[in-house]
Amino acid sequence: MITKDTGIYIHVPFCAKKCSYCDFYSEPYRKKTVEDYVNAVIRNIKAYSGKSCVTDTVYFGGGTPSLLSPEQAGNIIQEIGNNFILPENAEITLETNPNTVDSRKLSAYREAGVNRLSIGVQSMIDTELKFLSRTHTADRAEKAVTDAYNAGFDNISCDVMIALPEQSAESLIYTLERVTELPVKHISGYILKTESGTPFDCDEIKNILPDDDTTADLYIKMVDFLKNKGFLQYEVSNFAVTGFESRHNCRYWKCLDYIGIGASAHSCHNGKRFCVDRNLKDFIESPVQKTIITDSSPCGFEEYAMLRLRLAEGLNVNDFPEHKNDLIKKIPVLIKSGYINFDGVNISLTPSGFLVSNSVIEYLVF
C-alpha cells in the first residue's frame, strides 16, 4: 500500500570540522561538492514524488546542514512542495552550528521556509566546548539563539551534552540555566558516549568520563531542573514546552513513515526499512540513490514496543493483545524497582527507568 502521509529527512553530510565524539557520516565542506549534492537531493525528491502524499515534517540533519546556503535549503523545500503536499503548518527543521550563522543568514532561512531550528549548543562552559572540539564559544551559542529568535523563529531547540569529564551538578545546572533563559521551546539532553571508531573511542577519554552513578545523578538532576522550568520530558533525551515536541522525531518513535534522502540516510517507507550507503560520491553520481533493504517487515511487536517505550507516554498494552498477558506479568517487579509506571493501560518508564531503558525494555519485550 502506498503511504498517504510521510516525513522527509535530508542528510547533509558536510562539516567544517568533525567533532571528536560524533559518528554520523560527514565529509569536509567543498562548495562545488555541496552544489552537486543539492542537485542530487532534488533529483531524488522527484524520484520519490507522491503528489497525493502529505509531508508534514521535513528535517535537515547532518553533518552541519547550516553549511547549506538559504537558497539551497529553499530550493530543496520548494522541490518537496512541488512533489508532495506540503501543508502550511508543516514542521521544517534545520540543524544549526552556532558558528555557521548570523542574523542575516537566519532571516534568509526563515524566508526560505525553515520554521524550526535545532542549535548545537552542547555546553555553556567554554572549557567543555573545547574538550568536545566545538569551534564556538558559549557567548556565540547564546547569540545564535537570540539572532534566530529575532529573525522570526519561535520554535528553537538546543542540544546539550551531559556526563562530560569533571562535569558537576553545579556546572550542568549553570549550562541549563543559561539555555532556559533563552527563547527556546525544546531541549535535547544527550549523555556523552564513546562511539566506536571516533577519536573519543580510546582509553584516554574513557578513563576520564564520569562513572555510571555520577552520570545517573546528572541525568536525574537535568530531568528535574528542566521540569521545573516548564520543559517536560517526552522522550528519553528530549524535553519540550507543551506543544513544541519534535513532530519529525516522533515519527521515528511511533513507527510512522519517513523517507530519508542522502548518503547514509535511513527510511521507513511503504512497509520497508532501507538505507543509503555512506558514500558521498556514489550518491552524487547515481541518478537515484541506491538503497539497501534492512527490514522487509518493520514495526512488529518488538520494534514497536521498544520505540514506544522511549516515549514518556509509553506503550499501550492493548496495541498487541496477543502479548498483553506476558507484559502484565512482568510489570510488578519493574514498578517495585521504580523503573516504570502503569495506569492499567499504558506502561511508561520513569526517569530512573529511562537511565536503564535498554535493560528494562529487554526484560519487558524479549
Side-chain angles (χ1 to χ4, degrees), residues 19-21 125-134 163-165 192 194 200 204-206 208-209:
C19 295
S20 299
Y21 57 85
I125 298 174
D126 287 343
T127 53
E128 291 182 350
L129 289 169
K130 186 175 181 181
F131 168 78
L132 292 169
S133 64
R134 302 293 290 184
L164 307 179
L192 176 62
T194 52
F200 272 16
E204 181 183 357
I205 297 298
K206 292 176 183 177
I208 62 174
L209 294 180

Side-chain angles (χ1 to χ4, degrees), residues 23 34 70 82-83 113 151 171 181 222 243 259 320 330 356 362:
D23 71 337
V34 173
N82 290 342
N83 288 274
S171 63
E181 286 173 352
M222 174 179 67
I259 299 168
F320 286 84
K330 298 175 181 178
V356 289
E362 184 176 357

Side-chain angles (χ1 to χ4, degrees), residues 4-21:
K4 296 297 181 185
D5 169 48
T6 193
I8 293 181
Y9 172 81
I10 307 293
H11 190 69
V12 183
F14 303 103
C15 285
K17 179 185 177 184
K18 181 94 169 176
C19 295
S20 299
Y21 57 85

Side-chain angles (χ1 to χ4, degrees), residues 29 31 34-35 38-39 41-42 45 60 65-80 94 104-114:
Y29 175 86
K31 184 177 180 181
V34 173
E35 291 172 357
V38 169
N39 289 334
V41 167
I42 288 173
I45 291 168
F60 291 84
S66 52
L67 288 174
L68 294 182
S69 70
E71 181 182 9
Q72 289 169 329
N75 287 342
I76 291 170
I77 294 167
Q78 183 177 12
E79 200 61 45
I80 293 171
L94 183 91
R104 190 171 178 180
K105 189 175 183 181
L106 288 163
S107 294
Y109 279 134
R110 189 69 190 87
E111 291 173 12
V114 178

Side-chain angles (χ1 to χ4, degrees), residues 6-9 55-59 86 90-92 247-248 251:
T6 193
I8 293 181
Y9 172 81
T55 298
D56 68 348
T57 68
V58 178
Y59 195 103
L86 190 64
E91 177 193 85
I92 303 178
R247 285 159 49 193
H248 183 84
R251 285 189 165 275

